[in-house]
Amino acid sequence: MPHVPSPALCDRDQSTTPASGLARADYRDITLYAPERGPCAVDVSDNTNLWGMPPAALHTLGDASAAAVTRYPSLYARELREELATYLMTDRSGMSLDERWVVTGCGSDDVLDSAIRAFTRPGDSLAYIDPTFPMIPVFARMNGVVPVPVPLASGLRLDAEAMIRTGARIIYLCSPNNPTGVTLAREQLEIVVRHAPGVVILDEAYAEFAGESFVDLLAHSDRLLVTRTMSKAFGLAGLRIGYAAGAPALVAEVEKSRGPYKVNALAERAALAALREDAGWVQHRVRQAQVVRARLTRELEAMGLAPLESSANFVLVPVPGAERLAERMRAVGVATRAFGGLPGVGDALRITVGPWEMMEAVLSALSTELSSAATGGLR
Ligand SMILES: *Cc1c(COP(=O)(O)O)cnc(C)c1O
């Protein structure tokens, strides 16, 4: 007879039980990633494509026969890697790439995590620009790696020398950077890539919105890994498809660390359809995002705020007490992403750009809450 645990054991809430003797010591300070992500009428908090998903990808999902999921998906998503290599070549990189240059994953989160694991051993360090994508120090610690924040220079610029001086096994850069929206200077990037002691990861999750990519730097470096995602411009965040490009020998190590079957069968089919048939849709949405970004920036300035000049699909606007302000905006149905005390910025709200009606709702909630704060309503 199979062993059946007693109801008392089943009922016990494991999440509140300290697994003191079982947990890894270096996991003690790691918490689950959980920004208050309940549903909200107007959600401009996560930089996804607020215009929706591309039509050919949508059609493919609707069409998916059950047969597609009874068997395992492709081991390492070869067909998708081929298509992504082609996409990167048409993306003004001037590079000649094929599937050996590309590795995919369950979101670029997975690719970043796999890359950290591939090129470090526990106790090594990972240097990253600060502020940047908040998951980076978390992925470092999940792999027993010491995260080393390196503040951006004044004007939120990349300080190449400071990055190199860390001697870190991995240097993480992000351009356009999340959450600032600022593009890093090519000349500083080139210095890092040329003199880094280890691997350089350049996260280009928002490259499509910048109209500029640094994928061409791969031509001169065997230690650069450029990560990308289909979660932002391509509108497929829920399907979890990320990828990286780099020299084949480097990519092969990430592939080992990643392991097989990481892109599920339906996601791969939809991603292939999007890459083959939806380029026009993506371009159109990107142009819309750029127009809305400029208009949103002007409107925020008209309110007396000083938003940063963004090259991404979001705008970061410094405002004291941003976390409190975001809570109040959420209470009236508008979810933004708040940051407290960002180095070089201070408190700030990050607003994803989307259809103008959404922006109007955001601006209206923001101005209402700001004026109620000014008249003493915000305590
Ligand atoms: C959104 C984001 C990612 C994660 O993308 P997924 O592919 O959805 O995992 C990675 N890096 C940056 C900077 C991001 O903003």
Side-chain angles (χ1 to χ4, degrees):
M1 209 177 100
H3 170 71
V4 179
S6 74
L9 261 181
C10 292
D11 287 349
R12 194 145 91 212
D13 180 358
Q14 300 251 332
S15 64
T16 59
T17 311
S20 44
L22 303 172
R24 276 172 70 150
D26 51 2
Y27 268 44
R28 204 182 40 222
D29 300 329
I30 298 178
T31 52
L32 293 183
Y33 178 68
E36 335 71 76
R37 282 270 170 86
C40 202
V42 178
D43 188 342
V44 293
S45 69
D46 65 5
N47 302 343
T48 49
N49 194 325
L50 300 180
W51 281 275
M53 69 180 286
L58 180 60
H59 184 253
T60 303
L61 286 182
D63 243 17
S65 70
V69 297
T70 54
R71 304 301 294 262
Y72 284 95
S74 66
L75 281 156
Y76 295 101
R78 186 190 172 108
E79 208 181 343
L80 180 56
R81 280 157 44 220
E82 277 167 11
E83 207 61 53
L84 288 167
T86 305
Y87 171 68
L88 287 175
M89 286 191 288
T90 55
D91 193 24
R92 276 173 280 185
S93 71
M95 288 282 295
S96 172
L97 303 171
D98 60 37
E99 44 90 17
R100 296 169 309 130
W101 288 74
V102 180
V103 53
T104 61
C106 180
S108 56
D109 281 359
D110 182 38
V111 179
L112 291 163
D113 178 49
S114 302
I116 294 171
R117 195 161 49 248
F119 303 115
T120 57
R121 291 162 64 161
D124 285 343
S125 56
L126 178 152
Y128 62 98
I129 51 173
D130 189 23
T132 196
F133 187 37
M135 287 309 292
I136 294 305
V138 179
F139 287 140
R141 280 191 266 131
M142 280 163 57
N143 288 290
V145 168
V146 182
V148 180
V150 178
L152 289 163
S154 74
L156 300 171
R157 283 174 304 109
L158 169 62
D159 182 347
E161 308 294 336
M163 295 307 295
I164 294 160
R165 266 199 309 276
T166 61
R169 295 279 303 183
I170 296 184
I171 289 176
Y172 171 89
L173 306 170
C174 183
S175 181
N177 191 19
N178 177 7
T180 62
V182 175
T183 306
L184 302 181
R186 172 175 284 271
E187 156 225 343
Q188 293 290 304
L189 275 174
E190 282 172 352
I191 296 173
V192 175
V193 169
R194 199 167 326 123
H195 300 288
V199 171
V200 178
I201 297 176
L202 174 60
D203 188 332
E204 286 199 334
Y206 301 98
E208 283 89 351
F209 301 102
E212 183 188 15
S213 162
F214 298 112
V215 167
D216 60 288
L217 295 180
L218 292 175
H220 314 287
S221 177
D222 57 5
R223 60 186 55 215
L224 175 64
L225 200 64
V226 179
T227 62
R228 292 281 195 99
T229 180
M230 297 190 75
S231 297
K232 307 288 161 61
F234 276 86
L236 300 176
L239 292 181
R240 314 301 301 123
I241 301 153
Y243 58 104
L250 201 68
V251 157
E253 295 308 304
V254 182
E255 198 85 280
K256 279 186 214 168
S257 160
R258 178 204 98 136
Y261 306 130
K262 286 299 176 74
V263 175
N264 76 67
L266 294 182
E268 183 171 11
R269 284 172 56 153
L272 285 169
L275 289 161
R276 287 169 183 160
E277 299 167 52
D278 288 322
W281 184 92
V282 172
Q283 270 166 26
H284 178 60
R285 296 312 184 195
V286 163
R287 275 196 300 275
Q288 276 181 301
Q290 290 164 336
V291 169
V292 171
R293 176 176 80 197
R295 186 170 171 197
L296 176 66
T297 302
R298 284 196 306 273
E299 294 282 338
L300 290 166
E301 284 166 352
M303 289 169 63
L305 298 166
L308 305 193
E309 193 182 323
S310 171
S311 303
N313 68 336
F314 55 83
V315 172
L316 188 73
V317 55
V319 45
E323 283 163 324
R324 196 62 223 294
L325 183 62
E327 271 171 39
R328 296 180 49 131
M329 288 173 70
R330 180 172 263 280
V332 297
V334 175
T336 57
R337 181 72 194 274
F339 296 87
L342 288 175
V345 177
D347 298 349
L349 282 186
R350 194 190 63 197
I351 302 166
T352 307
V353 304
W356 189 250
E357 315 82 77
M358 289 180 91
M359 302 296 97
E360 278 176 335
V362 174
L363 288 164
S364 144
L366 179 59
S367 85
T368 306
E369 296 308 325
L370 280 176
S371 55
S372 98
T375 57
L378 223 183
R379 258 183 280 271

